[in-house]
Amino acid sequence: MIKSMTGYGIATADAPESRYSVEIKSLNSKFFELNLKLPKAYAEKELAVRNLCSKEIERGKVSVTIVAEKNNAEAKGAKINTALVQQYFSQLKALDLELGAGSQDLLSTILNFPEVISYSEETVSEEEWAQVQATFAEALHNFNAFRRTEGAVLSKDLSLRIGNILSNLAELEILEPQRIKHIREKFSRFLEDAVGKANIDMNRFEQELIYYIDKIDITEEKIRLNSHCDYFLQTLGNADANGKKLGFISQEIGREINTMGAKANDAGMQKLVVGMKEELEKIKEQLLNVL
């Protein structure tokens, strides 16, 4: 069965020291486009996450957000070297008095000096990363389930559109025999008006009529259209169905419909062909959202 390119999945997990959250969203795109948001501590894991997303999500404009919140977290990212601050402050204060500068905010100036504030890199343990991976796998499962559910809705609509095309084709086949009768009558009236009934060479008339009818015959187009529609429905139900393959089949369906329209030469048949084209356009629009 097909899957929608639109998807959404979220998962959370609680650990003794942290709470993890993974959110995956995707929209239509011809290619795989990933916007990945990770905590700074997980920067070294970015390539692994990107590779996994590329393999499992395949296609779409994808947004993946991973959040790790520490429980009762202490501020441990930045540290102030108090001894160095005191040393700077005493020296600057003495210099300020000596010069009579009257500086008011020496502390903020000192905080910008080199080595006054140092930053420690946060690390991720293997246990933490395993928990993040498990949460990601759950979010991915929910994401794919969403895609399959949306795909089932798309599949139902696509089947309906193909059914409408086949219904129009069945009606067209009912009108087709009448078309030949109308063409014969039309040509006969034209010749009678042009040269008179007594001057018409009926043998030549029949020969030209057969040649013209053969030119506008749509038997092959009807057979191929039926075949393409059946193949579309068969592909739609396959386990490995994909939007690109269905798109190629829809192009073949369009060629047969267009050829029938060019050969129809009948108002009733043309109307049915226009209905087929409308259904095919809706199919193409829906296929843009099929994985």
Side-chain angles (χ1 to χ4, degrees), residues 132-176:
V132 171
Q133 286 180 302
T135 309
F136 183 88
E138 183 182 350
L140 190 61
H141 173 80
N142 296 337
F143 171 81
N144 283 323
F146 187 102
R147 274 185 158 185
R148 284 190 293 270
T149 301
E150 290 293 304
V153 175
L154 288 173
S155 179
K156 185 177 180 180
D157 184 75
L158 291 169
S159 297
L160 174 65
R161 304 299 174 190
I162 291 293
N164 291 341
I165 290 175
L166 292 173
S167 294
N168 279 14
L169 179 59
E171 291 184 41
L172 185 144
E173 289 180 316
I174 295 173
L175 294 178
E176 190 179 5

Side-chain angles (χ1 to χ4, degrees), residues 39 46-47 71 83 112 211 218 246 278:
E46 180 175 345
L47 181 59
N71 299 329
N112 292 316
Y211 175 78
I218 59 171
L246 292 170
E278 289 177 348

Side-chain angles (χ1 to χ4, degrees), residues 59-73:
R59 204 155 55 98
K61 189 174 183 179
V62 184
S63 173
V64 176
T65 304
I66 299 177
V67 177
E69 299 175 338
K70 297 291 185 180
N71 299 329
N72 301 320

Side-chain angles (χ1 to χ4, degrees), residues 89 92-93 96 101-113:
F89 187 83
L92 288 175
K93 188 66 176 177
D96 182 61
S103 300
Q104 299 296 318
D105 199 359
L106 293 177
L107 184 59
S108 62
T109 302
I110 293 170
L111 291 176
N112 292 316
F113 285 3

Side-chain angles (χ1 to χ4, degrees), residues 215-253:
K215 280 291 196 180
I216 62 172
D217 181 68
I218 59 171
T219 301
E220 292 184 7
E221 285 77 12
K222 291 188 298 180
I223 292 172
R224 286 196 293 265
L225 179 57
N226 259 310
S227 176
H228 294 329
C229 288
D230 288 343
Y231 187 38
F232 188 99
L233 293 174
Q234 178 187 339
T235 303
L236 194 59
N238 288 346
D240 60 345
N242 64 77
K244 288 184 178 180
K245 186 174 183 179
L246 292 170
F248 295 146
I249 301 172
S250 70
Q251 290 177 10
E252 297 301 318
I253 291 174

Side-chain angles (χ1 to χ4, degrees), residues 25-27 43 49 82 84 124 127 173 190 198 227 251 272:
K25 297 183 288 186
S26 71
L27 297 172
V49 175
T82 54
L84 187 59
V124 180
E127 292 78 11
E173 289 180 316
F190 175 79
S227 176
Q251 290 177 10
L272 292 169

Side-chain angles (χ1 to χ4, degrees), residues 28-151:
N28 300 356
S29 178
K30 289 184 178 181
F31 310 102
F32 176 71
E33 303 175 51
L34 177 61
N35 178 25
L36 179 60
K37 296 178 182 178
L38 287 170
K40 187 177 180 181
Y42 292 82
E44 64 178 18
K45 306 294 185 181
E46 180 175 345
L47 181 59
V49 175
R50 284 187 175 276
N51 290 338
L52 182 60
C53 290
S54 177
K55 178 182 177 182
E56 297 294 335
I57 298 176
E58 298 179 47
R59 204 155 55 98
K61 189 174 183 179
V62 184
S63 173
V64 176
T65 304
I66 299 177
V67 177
E69 299 175 338
K70 297 291 185 180
N71 299 329
N72 301 320
E74 297 180 1
K76 55 183 180 181
K79 293 183 179 179
I80 298 176
N81 189 332
T82 54
L84 187 59
V85 169
Q86 290 172 352
Q87 185 177 353
Y88 277 138
F89 187 83
S90 61
Q91 291 179 6
L92 288 175
K93 188 66 176 177
L95 184 60
D96 182 61
L97 291 173
E98 182 179 341
L99 298 176
S103 300
Q104 299 296 318
D105 199 359
L106 293 177
L107 184 59
S108 62
T109 302
I110 293 170
L111 291 176
N112 292 316
F113 285 3
E115 300 182 13
V116 169
I117 301 177
S118 61
Y119 298 90
S120 60
E121 291 294 329
E122 202 174 343
T123 59
V124 180
S125 67
E126 289 301 317
E127 292 78 11
E128 285 181 283
W129 179 236
Q131 182 65 70
V132 171
Q133 286 180 302
T135 309
F136 183 88
E138 183 182 350
L140 190 61
H141 173 80
N142 296 337
F143 171 81
N144 283 323
F146 187 102
R147 274 185 158 185
R148 284 190 293 270
T149 301
E150 290 293 304

